[in-house]
């Protein structure tokens, strides 16, 4: 560890197996808080390579809650957060639309990061459990096509590292890799990042992690979601090829709205917005979800193009299937709560 830490602090790039060794040491009780801080700081100052990001993600997933891989074709649409937009819960709302359109969604999420209310906050407000077991996640993916994984619950060994990260008070590699650490074996992914300069690198990481197809996006206004405010910048990963492209809302028949028009609020407010979207009420919120879910369906290979994805997303809502996915998850949560208390 001391030798590798010295290389890091000297600004040298680590090989993937070296970074795996460093990442494993982060979980060692004998590793001090100052050593953890030094690793995180050195990576931030020099900038993380794709190999280094992939290595630390692999180790984090190995130390996460075990989920047996019986469901295939699963995707996630979690973003990094950190864009400071105070938007409503776009990816969380979109997840139910994706599931209603036939995608299998293992939605990884946490408390508030860049929005006023995180995915866990709004789902908890709606009555959804945050502590699903690995077996329950598998059951929900099979029966409902969507399950939620609360990051602190599925990554219990990260507690000390997160404390050091918070004490540092500056962005670290952990501000980027949250969506990559889903313990479910994902085939595809729609990943939003708050840093436009990381698009190609994060797509390369997804390739290393075995994703067959994915889209990494930084939206108009530097959001970690697709935005209706202008030009969205993306990289499509398709069987190892990395293809950069841009998209405006009018390209897929949607109107432009400013990012101010999709601001969220507290958990109660954001739950109301989520329900309004799933009930098909016309708004900037609805169109934003249509764009994000459409891109998600295209990234998963369910839609033949992004416009087709938007149309499928709209049909998922209008048919009531998206709302059914939410109601199933609420009912499942209520039933398990009753069973635990009896």
């Amino acid at each position: 560890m001391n030798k590798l830490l010295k290389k890091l602090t000297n600004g040298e790039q680590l090989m993937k197996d070296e970074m795996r060794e460093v990442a494993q040491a982060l979980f060692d009780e004998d590793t001090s808080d100052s050593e953890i801080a030094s690793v995180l700081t050195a990576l931030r100052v020099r900038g993380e390579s794709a190999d280094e990001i992939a290595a630390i993600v692999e180790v984090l997933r190995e130390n996460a809650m075990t989920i047996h891989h019986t469901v295939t074709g699963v995707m996630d649409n979690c973003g990094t957060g950190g864009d400071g937009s105070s938007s409503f819960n776009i990816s969380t709302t979109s997840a139910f639309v994706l599931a209603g359109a036939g995608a299998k969604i293992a939605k990884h999420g946490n408390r508030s990061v860049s929005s006023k209310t995180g995915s866990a906050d709004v789902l908890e407000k709606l009555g959804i459990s945050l502590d699903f077991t690995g077996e329950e996640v598998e059951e929900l993916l099979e029966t409902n096509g969507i399950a939620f994984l609360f990051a602190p619950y599925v990554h219990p060994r990260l507690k000390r590292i997160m404390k050091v990260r918070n004490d540092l008070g500056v962005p670290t590699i952990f501000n980027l890799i949250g969506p990559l650490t889903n313990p479910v074996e994902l085939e595809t992914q729609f990943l939003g990042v708050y840093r436009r300069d990381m698009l190609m690198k994060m797509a390369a990481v997804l390739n290393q992690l075995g994703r067959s197809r994915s889209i990494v996006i930084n939206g108009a206004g530097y959001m970690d979601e697709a935005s209706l405010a202008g030009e969205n910048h993306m990289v499509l990963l398709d069987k190892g090829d990395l293809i950069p492209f841009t998209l405006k809302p009018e390209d897929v028949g949607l109107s432009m709205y400013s990012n101010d028009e999709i601001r969220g609020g507290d958990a109660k407010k954001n739950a109301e917005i989520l329900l309004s979207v799933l009930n098909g009420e016309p708004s900037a919120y609805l169109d934003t979800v249509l764009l994000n879910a459409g891109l998600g369906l295209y990234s998963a290979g369910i839609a033949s193009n992004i416009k087709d994805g938007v149309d499928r997303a709209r049909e998922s809502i209008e048919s009531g299937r998206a709302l059914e996915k939410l109601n199933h998850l609420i009912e499942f949560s209520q039933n398990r709560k009753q069973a635990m208390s009896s």
Side-chain angles (χ1 to χ4, degrees):
M1 175 64 171
N2 288 338
K3 179 182 177 181
L4 295 177
L5 182 54
K6 186 176 181 180
K7 286 184 69 173
L8 276 175
T9 54
N10 285 339
E12 298 179 51
Q13 186 171 305
L14 299 186
M15 301 292 288
K16 191 172 182 180
D17 59 340
E18 292 177 320
M19 191 64 224
R20 280 187 58 89
E21 186 178 338
V22 170
Q24 287 163 347
L26 297 179
F27 290 97
D28 193 327
E29 292 183 1
D30 294 331
T31 301
S32 67
D33 286 0
S34 61
E35 288 175 316
I36 295 174
S38 295
V39 169
L40 300 182
T41 303
L43 286 169
R44 170 175 165 75
V45 170
R46 193 246 301 146
E48 308 88 348
S49 70
D51 279 349
E52 289 168 337
I53 296 171
I56 196 167
V57 167
E58 288 172 359
V59 172
L60 290 175
R61 294 184 70 248
E62 290 165 7
N63 283 274
M65 179 177 75
T66 301
I67 297 178
H68 300 292
H69 185 51
T70 60
V71 181
T72 58
V74 181
M75 73 173 292
D76 192 1
N77 70 326
C78 178
T80 60
D83 61 17
S85 66
S86 298
S87 61
F88 77 107
N89 300 100
I90 298 170
S91 64
T92 304
T93 310
S94 300
F96 294 106
V97 180
L98 286 163
K104 295 176 184 176
I105 306 293
K107 182 70 175 74
H108 195 244
N110 210 331
R111 301 275 184 198
S112 174
V113 180
S114 58
S115 59
K116 294 180 180 178
T117 305
S119 57
D121 303 302
V122 72
L123 292 178
E124 189 176 49
K125 190 68 177 179
L126 290 164
I128 295 171
S129 301
L130 301 183
D131 59 347
F132 292 128
T133 65
E135 291 77 13
E136 288 171 327
V137 168
E138 281 289 322
E139 180 183 346
L140 284 165
L141 287 173
E142 290 177 353
T143 61
N144 194 41
I146 182 169
F148 180 71
L149 297 96
F150 182 42
Y153 183 73
V154 299
H155 299 287
R157 296 192 64 194
L158 269 178
K159 190 173 182 179
R160 186 164 74 105
I161 300 173
M162 290 299 97
K163 180 185 180 302
V164 174
R165 168 197 165 184
N166 292 336
D167 289 344
L168 283 173
V170 295
T172 70
I173 190 171
F174 284 93
N175 292 80
L176 287 170
I177 65 174
L180 305 178
T181 62
N182 193 322
V184 175
E185 289 292 336
L186 303 177
E187 186 173 315
T188 61
Q189 196 156 356
F190 179 51
L191 170 64
V193 297
Y194 71 97
R195 285 177 54 184
R196 191 164 293 175
D197 65 312
M198 293 293 291
L199 286 173
M200 192 65 74
K201 187 176 292 186
M202 294 298 274
V205 172
L206 289 175
N207 186 43
Q208 287 200 38
L209 296 175
R211 309 290 190 266
S212 62
R213 183 178 167 91
S214 295
I215 288 176
V216 185
I217 183 168
N218 178 262
Y222 295 90
M223 289 187 66
D224 73 322
E225 314 273 4
S227 166
L228 298 168
E231 192 171 66
N232 297 277
H233 293 250
M234 288 168 267
V235 174
L236 170 67
L237 162 65
D238 187 16
K239 298 178 181 177
D241 292 329
L242 305 182
I243 308 163
F245 69 105
T246 60
L247 181 80
K248 295 179 180 179
E250 56 263 38
D251 296 336
V252 290
L254 294 172
S255 300
M256 289 187 67
Y257 292 91
S258 73
N259 288 336
D260 287 340
E261 294 177 84
I262 56 169
R263 286 182 176 273
D266 59 14
K268 181 176 183 295
K269 174 63 176 177
N270 282 13
E272 291 171 353
I273 294 171
L274 184 151
L275 290 171
S276 76
V277 171
L278 297 190
N279 280 299
E281 297 177 19
S283 66
Y285 302 122
L286 172 63
D287 284 6
T288 298
V289 168
L290 291 176
L291 179 57
N292 280 273
L295 282 162
L297 291 169
Y298 178 61
S299 70
I302 294 173
S304 57
N305 54 58
I306 300 168
K307 178 63 168 61
D308 178 42
V310 171
D311 292 341
R312 287 171 182 263
R314 193 185 302 276
E315 202 273 331
S316 172
I317 293 171
E318 291 180 349
S319 67
R321 290 196 303 271
L323 186 59
E324 287 174 5
K325 299 298 181 181
L326 170 64
N327 289 335
H328 183 105
L329 203 52
I330 294 171
E331 183 180 0
F332 185 94
S333 299
Q334 291 173 341
N335 289 341
R336 74 191 289 270
K337 186 177 180 180
Q338 291 174 0
M340 288 176 179
S341 61
S342 62

